Amino acid sequence: AQSVTQLGSHVSVSEGALVLLRCNYSSSVPPYLFWYVQYPNQGLQLLLKYTTGATLVKGINGFEAEFKKSETSFHLTKPSAHMSDAAEYFCAVRASGGYQKVTFGTGTKLQVIP
Amino acid sequence: GAGVSQSPSNKVTEKGKDVELRCDPISGHTALYWYRQRLGQGLEFLIYFQGNSAPDKSGLPSDRFSAERTGESVSTLTIQRTQQEDSAVYLCASSTRERAGGDYGYTFGSGTRLTVV
């Protein structure tokens, strides 16, 4: 069984400020972890993923996330927020190995203030 | 096709009517998933198809919901006797075979927005 908890359903940052979206997971086996982004009136798209190897993963649009097994976390960061980053972000987890469904968090809406 | 295609993009139906939603996955993607996203909420897993294996139906909320998939292609999600609480965006996603050291995540369609009035 696996689950994902996203802390904060809404996060506001000023343009140019650090973006930090928190995600903690629970998984009985080594996890694969994902961040998806949903822009207004659009479908979800994969932002970045961790499967194996390097624990710091880089995604599109300057985002990155670090897998910390000891903290069961996979927080999403970006050094400097841009207005175009305003969207809803979903953290997701699935068990590694074979075909497993992905479990999504409830999402965090990011607002960027000019 | 180039992406996951869902139809219709919008559907308004009267309470009690049946609806059928369609998903065309990316060619070659063996896994197909349906999720539901209610307004202001996260994604709720409904059903998962993988090749010829028995589908994982554990997320279907009631026996009014059913889904089929023809081989590794088109899938249809059917909701019978629709209720107002069925109003949501229904998302389909597909994924390719997992390879050693990597999983390519899902590719989502744009969804079908279902409104039950």
Side-chain angles (χ1 to χ4, degrees):
Chain A
Q2 60 228 14
S3 64
V4 170
T5 302
Q6 290 185 243
L7 296 177
S9 58
H10 290 80
V11 170
S12 293
V13 299
S14 297
E15 190 175 15
L18 171 72
V19 176
L20 171 61
L21 304 182
R22 299 179 186 276
C23 172
N24 288 87
Y25 70 91
S26 171
S27 179
S28 56
V29 298
Y32 286 176
L33 295 157
F34 308 85
W35 277 98
Y36 284 83
V37 60
Q38 186 175 32
Y39 296 104
N41 300 314
Q42 295 187 28
L44 280 82
Q45 64 182 89
L46 183 64
L47 192 57
L48 51 78
K49 65 182 188 289
Y50 166 79
T51 54
T52 59
T55 56
L56 180 63
V57 292
K58 296 184 185 299
I60 59 174
N61 301 334
F63 283 92
E64 61 183 36
E66 186 171 11
F67 169 57
K68 292 187 176 181
K69 184 178 178 180
S70 62
E71 299 177 9
T72 61
S73 69
F74 191 59
H75 302 328
L76 182 70
T77 61
K78 182 175 179 178
S80 177
H82 193 272
M83 295 299 294
S84 61
D85 295 327
E88 188 158 19
Y89 294 80
F90 292 90
C91 183
V93 63
R94 56 155 275 188
S96 59
Y99 292 89
Q100 304 283 346
K101 68 176 181 279
V102 173
T103 300
F104 286 83
T106 52
T108 298
K109 285 189 178 175
L110 176 66
Q111 179 185 23
V112 182
I113 303 166
Chain B
V4 177
S5 177
Q6 290 188 246
S7 61
S9 55
N10 280 283
K11 176 72 176 179
V12 179
T13 190
E14 292 181 354
K15 179 180 172 181
K17 294 284 180 73
D18 297 351
V19 295
E20 190 172 278
L21 313 180
R22 177 186 170 104
C23 173
D24 281 278
I26 291 174
S27 178
H29 278 197
T30 55
L32 185 147
Y33 311 79
W34 284 97
Y35 283 82
R36 176 169 71 178
Q37 186 178 26
R38 288 183 165 134
L39 186 64
Q41 298 187 24
L43 278 74
E44 177 185 1
F45 168 76
L46 298 178
I47 188 168
Y48 157 51
F49 295 92
Q50 171 47 51
N52 295 319
S53 302
D56 176 356
K57 302 180 181 180
S58 61
L60 294 178
S62 77
D63 60 7
R64 296 187 296 104
F65 287 72
S66 63
E68 294 184 349
R69 187 182 186 193
T70 307
E72 294 185 350
S73 61
V74 172
S75 175
T76 54
L77 176 69
T78 302
I79 309 173
Q80 295 178 311
R81 304 181 303 281
T82 52
Q83 303 294 314
Q84 287 186 329
E85 65 261 27
D86 299 334
S87 296
V89 176
Y90 288 82
L91 293 165
C92 176
S94 68
S95 72
T96 188
R97 175 179 293 277
E98 175 186 332
R99 303 182 205 176
D103 178 273
Y104 296 87
Y106 290 169
T107 300
F108 278 89
S110 298
T112 293
R113 182 175 299 278
L114 176 66
T115 304
V116 182
V117 298

Short mmCIF file of all heavy atoms in Angstrom, two decimals, chain A residues 32 34 36 38 41-46 49 51-52 88 90 94-107 109, chain B residues 30-31 33 35 37 40-43 45 48 50 56 58 91 96-99 101-110 113:
data_model
loop_
_atom_site.label_atom_id
_atom_site.label_comp_id
_atom_site.label_asym_id
_atom_site.label_seq_id
_atom_site.Cartn_x
_atom_site.Cartn_y
_atom_site.Cartn_z
N TYR A 32 8.62 4.71 -6.60
CA TYR A 32 8.88 5.64 -7.68
C TYR A 32 8.05 6.88 -7.33
O TYR A 32 6.89 6.77 -6.93
CB TYR A 32 8.44 5.10 -9.03
CG TYR A 32 9.31 4.02 -9.61
CD1 TYR A 32 8.94 3.39 -10.80
CD2 TYR A 32 10.49 3.59 -9.00
CE1 TYR A 32 9.73 2.39 -11.37
CE2 TYR A 32 11.27 2.60 -9.56
CZ TYR A 32 10.89 2.01 -10.73
OH TYR A 32 11.66 1.02 -11.29
N PHE A 34 6.82 10.99 -8.32
CA PHE A 34 6.55 11.87 -9.45
C PHE A 34 5.98 13.20 -8.96
O PHE A 34 5.33 13.27 -7.92
CB PHE A 34 5.51 11.24 -10.40
CG PHE A 34 5.82 9.85 -10.85
CD1 PHE A 34 5.45 8.76 -10.08
CD2 PHE A 34 6.46 9.62 -12.06
CE1 PHE A 34 5.74 7.46 -10.49
CE2 PHE A 34 6.73 8.33 -12.48
CZ PHE A 34 6.38 7.25 -11.71
N TYR A 36 3.55 16.05 -10.92
CA TYR A 36 2.82 16.45 -12.11
C TYR A 36 2.34 17.88 -11.90
O TYR A 36 2.07 18.32 -10.78
CB TYR A 36 1.60 15.54 -12.33
CG TYR A 36 1.92 14.19 -12.88
CD1 TYR A 36 2.34 13.14 -12.05
CD2 TYR A 36 1.82 13.93 -14.25
CE1 TYR A 36 2.63 11.90 -12.57
CE2 TYR A 36 2.11 12.68 -14.77
CZ TYR A 36 2.52 11.67 -13.93
OH TYR A 36 2.82 10.45 -14.45
N GLN A 38 -0.52 20.81 -13.35
CA GLN A 38 -1.75 21.04 -14.11
C GLN A 38 -1.97 22.55 -14.22
O GLN A 38 -2.32 23.20 -13.23
CB GLN A 38 -2.94 20.37 -13.43
CG GLN A 38 -4.23 20.44 -14.23
CD GLN A 38 -5.36 19.66 -13.59
OE1 GLN A 38 -5.45 19.56 -12.36
NE2 GLN A 38 -6.23 19.09 -14.40
N ASN A 41 -7.07 24.95 -16.86
CA ASN A 41 -7.81 24.46 -18.03
C ASN A 41 -6.99 23.55 -18.94
O ASN A 41 -7.26 23.46 -20.15
CB ASN A 41 -8.37 25.64 -18.85
CG ASN A 41 -9.31 26.49 -18.03
OD1 ASN A 41 -10.18 25.98 -17.32
ND2 ASN A 41 -9.12 27.79 -18.07
N GLN A 42 -6.00 22.92 -18.39
CA GLN A 42 -5.19 21.97 -19.16
C GLN A 42 -5.10 20.64 -18.42
O GLN A 42 -5.48 20.52 -17.26
CB GLN A 42 -3.78 22.53 -19.39
CG GLN A 42 -3.74 23.77 -20.25
CD GLN A 42 -2.32 24.18 -20.59
OE1 GLN A 42 -1.41 23.34 -20.65
NE2 GLN A 42 -2.11 25.46 -20.81
N GLY A 43 -4.62 19.64 -19.14
CA GLY A 43 -4.42 18.33 -18.52
C GLY A 43 -3.15 18.29 -17.70
O GLY A 43 -2.38 19.25 -17.65
N LEU A 44 -2.93 17.19 -17.03
CA LEU A 44 -1.73 17.02 -16.22
C LEU A 44 -0.54 16.67 -17.10
O LEU A 44 -0.68 15.91 -18.06
CB LEU A 44 -1.90 15.90 -15.20
CG LEU A 44 -2.69 16.23 -13.94
CD1 LEU A 44 -4.17 16.14 -14.21
CD2 LEU A 44 -2.29 15.30 -12.80
N GLN A 45 0.61 17.17 -16.73
CA GLN A 45 1.82 16.77 -17.43
C GLN A 45 2.92 16.46 -16.42
O GLN A 45 2.97 17.05 -15.34
CB GLN A 45 2.29 17.82 -18.43
CG GLN A 45 2.69 19.15 -17.84
CD GLN A 45 3.10 20.15 -18.91
OE1 GLN A 45 2.29 20.88 -19.43
NE2 GLN A 45 4.37 20.17 -19.24
N LEU A 46 3.75 15.51 -16.79
CA LEU A 46 4.82 15.07 -15.90
C LEU A 46 5.87 16.17 -15.80
O LEU A 46 6.38 16.65 -16.81
CB LEU A 46 5.43 13.78 -16.44
CG LEU A 46 6.53 13.14 -15.61
CD1 LEU A 46 5.98 12.69 -14.26
CD2 LEU A 46 7.13 11.96 -16.35
N LYS A 49 10.51 13.01 -12.25
CA LYS A 49 10.29 11.73 -11.60
C LYS A 49 11.58 11.23 -10.97
O LYS A 49 12.68 11.54 -11.42
CB LYS A 49 9.77 10.70 -12.60
CG LYS A 49 10.77 10.34 -13.70
CD LYS A 49 10.16 9.36 -14.67
CE LYS A 49 11.20 8.85 -15.66
NZ LYS A 49 11.60 9.88 -16.62
N THR A 51 13.15 7.46 -9.98
CA THR A 51 12.97 6.01 -10.01
C THR A 51 14.13 5.35 -9.28
O THR A 51 13.95 4.78 -8.21
CB THR A 51 12.86 5.51 -11.46
OG1 THR A 51 13.99 5.96 -12.22
CG2 THR A 51 11.59 6.02 -12.11
N THR A 52 15.31 5.43 -9.82
CA THR A 52 16.49 4.91 -9.15
C THR A 52 17.64 5.86 -9.41
O THR A 52 17.53 6.77 -10.23
CB THR A 52 16.88 3.51 -9.66
OG1 THR A 52 17.13 3.61 -11.07
CG2 THR A 52 15.78 2.50 -9.42
N GLU A 88 -1.51 24.01 -10.47
CA GLU A 88 -1.69 23.05 -9.39
C GLU A 88 -0.67 21.93 -9.58
O GLU A 88 -0.47 21.45 -10.69
CB GLU A 88 -3.10 22.49 -9.38
CG GLU A 88 -3.39 21.63 -8.15
CD GLU A 88 -4.87 21.50 -7.84
OE1 GLU A 88 -5.69 21.76 -8.74
OE2 GLU A 88 -5.20 21.14 -6.69
N PHE A 90 0.80 18.18 -8.32
CA PHE A 90 0.42 16.92 -7.68
C PHE A 90 1.66 16.05 -7.50
O PHE A 90 2.39 15.78 -8.46
CB PHE A 90 -0.59 16.16 -8.53
CG PHE A 90 -1.93 16.81 -8.63
CD1 PHE A 90 -2.20 17.70 -9.66
CD2 PHE A 90 -2.93 16.53 -7.71
CE1 PHE A 90 -3.44 18.32 -9.76
CE2 PHE A 90 -4.17 17.14 -7.81
CZ PHE A 90 -4.42 18.03 -8.83
N ARG A 94 4.25 5.43 -6.71
CA ARG A 94 3.86 4.07 -7.07
C ARG A 94 4.95 3.14 -6.59
O ARG A 94 6.11 3.56 -6.42
CB ARG A 94 3.62 3.90 -8.56
CG ARG A 94 4.77 4.27 -9.44
CD ARG A 94 4.72 3.55 -10.76
NE ARG A 94 5.33 2.23 -10.66
CZ ARG A 94 5.56 1.44 -11.69
NH1 ARG A 94 5.21 1.81 -12.89
NH2 ARG A 94 6.13 0.27 -11.53
N ALA A 95 4.58 1.91 -6.39
CA ALA A 95 5.57 0.92 -5.98
C ALA A 95 6.43 0.57 -7.18
O ALA A 95 5.93 0.51 -8.32
CB ALA A 95 4.87 -0.32 -5.45
N SER A 96 7.71 0.36 -6.95
CA SER A 96 8.59 -0.05 -8.03
C SER A 96 8.33 -1.51 -8.37
O SER A 96 7.78 -2.26 -7.58
CB SER A 96 10.06 0.13 -7.62
OG SER A 96 10.34 -0.64 -6.47
N GLY A 97 8.69 -1.88 -9.55
CA GLY A 97 8.54 -3.28 -9.96
C GLY A 97 7.21 -3.56 -10.60
O GLY A 97 6.15 -3.30 -10.02
N GLY A 98 7.25 -4.06 -11.82
CA GLY A 98 6.02 -4.44 -12.47
C GLY A 98 5.11 -3.27 -12.74
O GLY A 98 5.53 -2.13 -12.80
N TYR A 99 3.84 -3.56 -12.89
CA TYR A 99 2.86 -2.54 -13.20
C TYR A 99 2.05 -2.23 -11.96
O TYR A 99 1.40 -3.10 -11.42
CB TYR A 99 1.95 -3.02 -14.33
CG TYR A 99 2.71 -3.13 -15.63
CD1 TYR A 99 3.35 -4.30 -15.96
CD2 TYR A 99 2.80 -2.05 -16.49
CE1 TYR A 99 4.06 -4.39 -17.14
CE2 TYR A 99 3.51 -2.14 -17.67
CZ TYR A 99 4.14 -3.32 -18.00
OH TYR A 99 4.85 -3.41 -19.15
N GLN A 100 2.11 -1.02 -11.55
CA GLN A 100 1.42 -0.61 -10.34
C GLN A 100 0.72 0.70 -10.59
O GLN A 100 1.24 1.57 -11.28
CB GLN A 100 2.42 -0.41 -9.20
CG GLN A 100 3.29 -1.62 -8.88
CD GLN A 100 2.54 -2.66 -8.09
OE1 GLN A 100 1.47 -2.39 -7.56
NE2 GLN A 100 3.11 -3.85 -8.01
N LYS A 101 -0.45 0.86 -10.01
CA LYS A 101 -1.13 2.14 -10.20
C LYS A 101 -0.44 3.20 -9.39
O LYS A 101 0.20 2.95 -8.38
CB LYS A 101 -2.60 2.03 -9.81
CG LYS A 101 -2.87 1.81 -8.33
CD LYS A 101 -4.37 1.83 -8.09
CE LYS A 101 -4.68 1.65 -6.61
NZ LYS A 101 -4.62 0.24 -6.23
N VAL A 102 -0.57 4.41 -9.85
CA VAL A 102 0.02 5.57 -9.19
C VAL A 102 -1.02 6.18 -8.26
O VAL A 102 -2.18 6.34 -8.63
CB VAL A 102 0.48 6.60 -10.23
CG1 VAL A 102 0.92 7.88 -9.56
CG2 VAL A 102 1.60 6.03 -11.08
N THR A 103 -0.58 6.50 -7.06
CA THR A 103 -1.44 7.17 -6.09
C THR A 103 -1.05 8.63 -6.03
O THR A 103 0.13 8.95 -5.83
CB THR A 103 -1.29 6.52 -4.70
OG1 THR A 103 -1.67 5.15 -4.78
CG2 THR A 103 -2.18 7.23 -3.68
N PHE A 104 -2.03 9.50 -6.19
CA PHE A 104 -1.78 10.94 -6.23
C PHE A 104 -2.12 11.59 -4.90
O PHE A 104 -3.03 11.17 -4.20
CB PHE A 104 -2.62 11.59 -7.33
CG PHE A 104 -2.13 11.33 -8.71
CD1 PHE A 104 -2.47 10.17 -9.37
CD2 PHE A 104 -1.32 12.25 -9.36
CE1 PHE A 104 -2.01 9.91 -10.66
CE2 PHE A 104 -0.86 12.01 -10.64
CZ PHE A 104 -1.20 10.84 -11.29
N GLY A 105 -1.40 12.67 -4.61
CA GLY A 105 -1.78 13.52 -3.51
C GLY A 105 -2.95 14.41 -3.91
O GLY A 105 -3.41 14.38 -5.05
N THR A 106 -3.41 15.20 -2.97
CA THR A 106 -4.59 16.03 -3.20
C THR A 106 -4.27 17.33 -3.91
O THR A 106 -5.17 18.08 -4.25
CB THR A 106 -5.31 16.33 -1.89
OG1 THR A 106 -4.37 16.84 -0.96
CG2 THR A 106 -5.95 15.08 -1.31
N GLY A 107 -2.99 17.59 -4.14
CA GLY A 107 -2.62 18.75 -4.93
C GLY A 107 -2.32 19.99 -4.11
O GLY A 107 -2.86 20.18 -3.01
N LYS A 109 -2.09 24.15 -4.88
CA LYS A 109 -2.23 25.25 -5.84
C LYS A 109 -1.20 26.32 -5.52
O LYS A 109 -1.16 26.83 -4.40
CB LYS A 109 -3.63 25.84 -5.80
CG LYS A 109 -4.66 24.97 -6.47
CD LYS A 109 -6.00 25.67 -6.60
CE LYS A 109 -6.98 24.78 -7.33
NZ LYS A 109 -8.32 25.35 -7.40
N THR B 30 0.98 -0.04 -23.04
CA THR B 30 0.26 -1.24 -22.63
C THR B 30 -0.64 -1.01 -21.42
O THR B 30 -1.57 -1.76 -21.19
CB THR B 30 1.25 -2.36 -22.30
OG1 THR B 30 2.18 -1.89 -21.31
CG2 THR B 30 2.02 -2.77 -23.55
N ALA B 31 -0.35 0.01 -20.66
CA ALA B 31 -1.12 0.28 -19.44
C ALA B 31 -2.03 1.48 -19.65
O ALA B 31 -1.64 2.47 -20.27
CB ALA B 31 -0.19 0.52 -18.27
N TYR B 33 -5.15 3.86 -17.55
CA TYR B 33 -5.72 4.18 -16.25
C TYR B 33 -6.85 5.20 -16.42
O TYR B 33 -6.78 6.08 -17.27
CB TYR B 33 -4.67 4.82 -15.34
CG TYR B 33 -3.34 4.10 -15.27
CD1 TYR B 33 -2.40 4.22 -16.29
CD2 TYR B 33 -3.02 3.30 -14.18
CE1 TYR B 33 -1.18 3.57 -16.22
CE2 TYR B 33 -1.81 2.65 -14.10
CZ TYR B 33 -0.89 2.79 -15.12
OH TYR B 33 0.31 2.14 -15.04
N TYR B 35 -8.90 8.01 -14.02
CA TYR B 35 -8.96 8.73 -12.75
C TYR B 35 -10.13 9.70 -12.82
O TYR B 35 -10.57 10.09 -13.91
CB TYR B 35 -7.68 9.53 -12.49
CG TYR B 35 -6.50 8.71 -12.04
CD1 TYR B 35 -5.71 8.03 -12.97
CD2 TYR B 35 -6.16 8.60 -10.70
CE1 TYR B 35 -4.63 7.27 -12.56
CE2 TYR B 35 -5.08 7.85 -10.28
CZ TYR B 35 -4.32 7.19 -11.21
OH TYR B 35 -3.24 6.43 -10.82
N GLN B 37 -11.45 13.48 -11.17
CA GLN B 37 -11.03 14.67 -10.45
C GLN B 37 -12.25 15.54 -10.22
O GLN B 37 -12.74 16.19 -11.15
CB GLN B 37 -9.95 15.44 -11.23
CG GLN B 37 -9.37 16.62 -10.46
CD GLN B 37 -8.27 17.32 -11.23
OE1 GLN B 37 -8.22 17.30 -12.45
NE2 GLN B 37 -7.37 17.99 -10.50
N GLY B 40 -11.93 20.95 -7.22
CA GLY B 40 -11.17 21.32 -6.04
C GLY B 40 -10.54 20.17 -5.30
O GLY B 40 -10.02 20.36 -4.19
N GLN B 41 -10.58 18.98 -5.88
CA GLN B 41 -10.03 17.82 -5.19
C GLN B 41 -8.92 17.17 -6.01
O GLN B 41 -8.66 17.55 -7.15
CB GLN B 41 -11.14 16.81 -4.92
CG GLN B 41 -12.24 17.36 -4.02
CD GLN B 41 -13.24 16.31 -3.63
OE1 GLN B 41 -12.94 15.12 -3.63
NE2 GLN B 41 -14.44 16.73 -3.28
N GLY B 42 -8.27 16.21 -5.41
CA GLY B 42 -7.20 15.50 -6.07
C GLY B 42 -7.72 14.45 -7.02
O GLY B 42 -8.91 14.35 -7.29
N LEU B 43 -6.80 13.66 -7.52
CA LEU B 43 -7.16 12.60 -8.47
C LEU B 43 -7.54 11.33 -7.72
O LEU B 43 -6.84 10.87 -6.84
CB LEU B 43 -6.00 12.30 -9.39
CG LEU B 43 -5.83 13.23 -10.58
CD1 LEU B 43 -5.29 14.56 -10.14
CD2 LEU B 43 -4.93 12.61 -11.62
N PHE B 45 -8.31 7.41 -8.15
CA PHE B 45 -8.11 6.26 -9.02
C PHE B 45 -9.42 5.51 -9.23
O PHE B 45 -10.16 5.26 -8.27
CB PHE B 45 -7.06 5.33 -8.42
CG PHE B 45 -6.99 3.98 -9.08
CD1 PHE B 45 -6.38 3.83 -10.32
CD2 PHE B 45 -7.54 2.87 -8.47
CE1 PHE B 45 -6.31 2.59 -10.92
CE2 PHE B 45 -7.48 1.62 -9.07
CZ PHE B 45 -6.86 1.48 -10.30
N TYR B 48 -7.61 0.31 -13.72
CA TYR B 48 -6.32 0.18 -14.39
C TYR B 48 -6.34 -1.08 -15.24
O TYR B 48 -6.70 -2.15 -14.77
CB TYR B 48 -5.25 0.12 -13.30
CG TYR B 48 -3.94 -0.53 -13.65
CD1 TYR B 48 -3.22 -0.16 -14.77
CD2 TYR B 48 -3.39 -1.50 -12.80
CE1 TYR B 48 -2.01 -0.75 -15.06
CE2 TYR B 48 -2.17 -2.08 -13.08
CZ TYR B 48 -1.48 -1.71 -14.20
OH TYR B 48 -0.28 -2.28 -14.48
N GLN B 50 -3.93 -3.48 -17.79
CA GLN B 50 -2.57 -3.81 -18.20
C GLN B 50 -2.60 -5.05 -19.08
O GLN B 50 -2.79 -6.17 -18.58
CB GLN B 50 -1.68 -4.03 -16.99
CG GLN B 50 -0.30 -4.58 -17.30
CD GLN B 50 0.38 -3.85 -18.43
OE1 GLN B 50 0.47 -2.63 -18.44
NE2 GLN B 50 0.87 -4.60 -19.42
N ASP B 56 -7.54 -3.91 -12.63
CA ASP B 56 -7.67 -3.53 -11.22
C ASP B 56 -8.85 -2.58 -11.12
O ASP B 56 -8.73 -1.41 -11.51
CB ASP B 56 -6.37 -2.88 -10.74
CG ASP B 56 -6.46 -2.36 -9.31
OD1 ASP B 56 -7.54 -2.43 -8.70
OD2 ASP B 56 -5.43 -1.88 -8.81
N SER B 58 -10.40 -1.75 -8.32
CA SER B 58 -10.59 -1.44 -6.91
C SER B 58 -11.07 -0.02 -6.64
O SER B 58 -11.59 0.27 -5.57
CB SER B 58 -9.29 -1.71 -6.14
OG SER B 58 -8.24 -0.89 -6.63
N LEU B 91 -10.33 11.60 -16.19
CA LEU B 91 -9.03 11.62 -16.86
C LEU B 91 -8.58 10.22 -17.21
O LEU B 91 -8.70 9.29 -16.41
CB LEU B 91 -7.98 12.27 -15.96
CG LEU B 91 -8.19 13.76 -15.67
CD1 LEU B 91 -7.33 14.18 -14.49
CD2 LEU B 91 -7.82 14.57 -16.89
N THR B 96 3.93 3.41 -20.85
CA THR B 96 4.64 2.39 -21.59
C THR B 96 5.19 1.34 -20.64
O THR B 96 5.08 1.46 -19.42
CB THR B 96 5.78 3.03 -22.40
OG1 THR B 96 6.34 2.06 -23.26
CG2 THR B 96 6.85 3.58 -21.49
N ARG B 97 5.76 0.35 -21.21
CA ARG B 97 6.32 -0.72 -20.37
C ARG B 97 7.46 -0.16 -19.54
O ARG B 97 8.28 0.59 -19.99
CB ARG B 97 6.83 -1.83 -21.28
CG ARG B 97 7.55 -2.96 -20.55
CD ARG B 97 8.00 -4.02 -21.55
NE ARG B 97 6.86 -4.69 -22.14
CZ ARG B 97 6.23 -5.70 -21.57
NH1 ARG B 97 6.60 -6.14 -20.39
NH2 ARG B 97 5.21 -6.27 -22.17
N GLU B 98 7.50 -0.59 -18.30
CA GLU B 98 8.59 -0.19 -17.43
C GLU B 98 9.85 -0.90 -17.90
O GLU B 98 9.85 -2.08 -18.17
CB GLU B 98 8.29 -0.57 -16.00
CG GLU B 98 9.44 -0.30 -15.03
CD GLU B 98 9.17 -0.82 -13.64
OE1 GLU B 98 7.99 -0.90 -13.26
OE2 GLU B 98 10.12 -1.16 -12.94
N ARG B 99 10.92 -0.16 -17.98
CA ARG B 99 12.20 -0.75 -18.32
C ARG B 99 13.11 -0.70 -17.10
O ARG B 99 12.89 0.07 -16.19
CB ARG B 99 12.87 0.01 -19.46
CG ARG B 99 12.05 0.10 -20.71
CD ARG B 99 12.81 0.82 -21.81
NE ARG B 99 11.93 1.42 -22.77
CZ ARG B 99 12.35 2.17 -23.78
NH1 ARG B 99 13.62 2.41 -23.93
NH2 ARG B 99 11.50 2.69 -24.63
N GLY B 101 15.44 0.38 -14.57
CA GLY B 101 15.98 1.68 -14.22
C GLY B 101 15.11 2.85 -14.57
O GLY B 101 15.47 3.99 -14.38
N GLY B 102 13.92 2.60 -15.08
CA GLY B 102 13.13 3.77 -15.44
C GLY B 102 11.67 3.49 -15.61
O GLY B 102 11.27 2.41 -16.00
N ASP B 103 10.90 4.47 -15.31
CA ASP B 103 9.47 4.43 -15.57
C ASP B 103 9.12 5.79 -16.14
O ASP B 103 9.61 6.81 -15.66
CB ASP B 103 8.69 4.16 -14.29
CG ASP B 103 7.21 4.16 -14.53
OD1 ASP B 103 6.61 5.25 -14.47
OD2 ASP B 103 6.66 3.08 -14.79
N TYR B 104 8.33 5.77 -17.14
CA TYR B 104 8.12 7.02 -17.88
C TYR B 104 6.90 7.79 -17.43
O TYR B 104 6.47 8.72 -18.07
CB TYR B 104 8.10 6.71 -19.37
CG TYR B 104 9.44 6.19 -19.81
CD1 TYR B 104 9.73 4.84 -19.71
CD2 TYR B 104 10.44 7.06 -20.22
CE1 TYR B 104 10.99 4.37 -20.05
CE2 TYR B 104 11.69 6.59 -20.56
CZ TYR B 104 11.95 5.25 -20.48
OH TYR B 104 13.20 4.79 -20.81
N GLY B 105 6.35 7.37 -16.29
CA GLY B 105 5.20 8.11 -15.80
C GLY B 105 4.01 7.96 -16.71
O GLY B 105 3.98 7.12 -17.60
N TYR B 106 3.03 8.74 -16.46
CA TYR B 106 1.82 8.71 -17.25
C TYR B 106 1.83 9.82 -18.28
O TYR B 106 2.37 10.89 -18.05
CB TYR B 106 0.60 8.98 -16.38
CG TYR B 106 0.19 7.94 -15.40
CD1 TYR B 106 -0.77 8.26 -14.45
CD2 TYR B 106 0.70 6.66 -15.39
CE1 TYR B 106 -1.20 7.34 -13.53
CE2 TYR B 106 0.28 5.73 -14.47
CZ TYR B 106 -0.67 6.07 -13.54
OH TYR B 106 -1.09 5.16 -12.62
N THR B 107 1.13 9.57 -19.37
CA THR B 107 0.73 10.64 -20.27
C THR B 107 -0.78 10.76 -20.13
O THR B 107 -1.51 9.78 -20.38
CB THR B 107 1.12 10.36 -21.71
OG1 THR B 107 2.54 10.19 -21.80
CG2 THR B 107 0.69 11.50 -22.61
N PHE B 108 -1.24 11.92 -19.75
CA PHE B 108 -2.67 12.14 -19.53
C PHE B 108 -3.35 12.71 -20.75
O PHE B 108 -2.75 13.48 -21.52
CB PHE B 108 -2.88 13.13 -18.38
CG PHE B 108 -2.81 12.51 -17.01
CD1 PHE B 108 -1.60 12.43 -16.35
CD2 PHE B 108 -3.94 12.02 -16.39
CE1 PHE B 108 -1.52 11.87 -15.08
CE2 PHE B 108 -3.87 11.45 -15.14
CZ PHE B 108 -2.67 11.37 -14.49
N GLY B 109 -4.59 12.36 -20.91
CA GLY B 109 -5.45 13.05 -21.85
C GLY B 109 -5.96 14.34 -21.21
O GLY B 109 -5.69 14.61 -20.04
N SER B 110 -6.69 15.10 -21.98
CA SER B 110 -7.21 16.39 -21.49
C SER B 110 -8.47 16.23 -20.65
O SER B 110 -8.94 17.19 -20.06
CB SER B 110 -7.49 17.32 -22.67
OG SER B 110 -6.30 17.59 -23.37
N ARG B 113 -15.09 16.50 -19.17
CA ARG B 113 -15.78 17.18 -18.07
C ARG B 113 -17.24 16.76 -18.12
O ARG B 113 -17.96 17.09 -19.06
CB ARG B 113 -15.67 18.70 -18.21
CG ARG B 113 -16.33 19.46 -17.06
CD ARG B 113 -16.09 20.97 -17.19
NE ARG B 113 -14.67 21.28 -17.14
CZ ARG B 113 -13.96 21.40 -16.03
NH1 ARG B 113 -14.55 21.25 -14.85
NH2 ARG B 113 -12.68 21.70 -16.07
#
